[in-house]
Amino acid sequence: MTGSEASPSFRLAYVPGVTPAKWVRIWRERQPDVPLELAQSANAETPDLLRRAEADAGLLRLPCDRDGLSAIPLYTETTVVVVPKDHLVAAVEGVSLADLADEVLFHPLDDVFDWERPPGRPAIERPATTADAIELVAAGVGLLVVPQSLARLHHRRDLTYRPVVDAPQSRVALSWPEERTTDLVEDFIGIVRGRTVNSSRGRRPEPAAGRRDGAPSGGKGQDTPRGGRGASAAGGSRGAKASGGAKSSGRGTGGARNTGGGRRGTAGRPGGGGRGKPRGRG
């Protein structure tokens, strides 16, 4: 079953904070006849959405329930703490979890981190969403630890954020149902992995004619015989030395040394007319 037979379009789910715009643009350039539909979903809901075939693939955060799903990690996000601009944390470049031990830290119900032991002091109630927790931070009630993309998504002028150097990190991954790895899914995998259009499904382009060992044709990478310099110009200086009767010509062909008009010539040798005509003295 191919992707084109299974669906006339490609539906991509993505979680808040993830921006698939670049990959969507490349898809539309390469697959103009297959519309790509975007559907935003909560991170906890995305795996079930994929299993119900309500999307062909999804951009989500790990860890998550991966039962029956394949996943390719794409990148890891920086973890930050969101604070009011007048908070002491805003005056430093980064903090550790120990620095936040005495702060009230919100852990919303849609928290993307799998904390073994949540840091900081717990709030009286857990906010329902990250957006609700941001509002409470702005009210000066407590602080919030989130992936940097979520801090940017919920940006406010009265808030800022700083990196938390030892906090868990969120990994963004491309996921899809194992049993529905269609051609369209393979095409999207190639896009997010940065493959060219000719290798988007693992195909390797054929080597160009005249190449050897992957060297580019022409230029410095051209595979040229060692004798190429002398052989390339029959009348050149090196070519003349090899073929015009220099010392090497006698050795290479078995002929007499310095025959054929070498450096010393044949004049003065037996059978060669002696040293030439005697000059007249008068």
Side-chain angles (χ1 to χ4, degrees), residues 97 105 107 113-120 168:
L97 291 177
L105 291 183
H107 303 285
F113 295 119
D114 186 20
W115 299 101
E116 291 184 7
R117 183 179 179 183

Side-chain angles (χ1 to χ4, degrees), residues 62-169:
L62 302 176
C64 69
D65 180 8
R66 291 177 52 182
D67 184 31
L69 301 178
S70 297
I72 299 174
L74 302 178
Y75 59 89
T76 301
E77 293 189 274
T78 299
T79 301
V80 300
V81 57
V82 181
V83 302
K85 280 193 173 180
D86 58 357
H87 195 280
L88 291 175
V89 169
V92 298
E93 294 184 357
V95 295
S96 66
L97 291 177
D99 296 329
L100 304 175
D102 295 330
E103 301 284 351
V104 173
L105 291 183
F106 295 113
H107 303 285
L109 297 178
D110 63 355
D111 194 345
V112 300
F113 295 119
D114 186 20
W115 299 101
E116 291 184 7
R117 183 179 179 183
R121 295 162 49 201
I124 297 175
E125 293 183 3
R126 293 185 66 182
T129 65
T130 298
D132 293 336
I134 290 288
E135 294 295 329
L136 293 172
V137 174
V141 181
L143 310 181
L144 176 65
V145 175
V146 291
Q148 182 171 295
S149 65
L150 287 179
R152 290 175 174 171
L153 177 66
H154 298 289
H155 171 71
R156 290 175 52 120
R157 291 185 178 181
D158 54 349
L159 300 180
T160 187
Y161 56 84
R162 293 293 182 269
V164 184
V165 295
D166 57 349
Q169 293 179 311

Side-chain angles (χ1 to χ4, degrees), residues 22-34 184 186-201 203:
K22 175 183 176 181
W23 299 322
V24 171
R25 175 181 55 79
I26 296 174
W27 174 276
R28 289 171 178 166
E29 291 173 354
R30 296 184 184 180
Q31 300 278 7
D33 298 328
V34 183
L184 293 181
E186 291 283 4
D187 287 340
F188 196 78
I189 291 171
I191 288 173
V192 299
R193 284 185 161 178
R195 295 174 185 160
T196 64
V197 64
N198 291 327
S199 61
S200 60
R201 298 181 189 173
R203 298 187 299 267

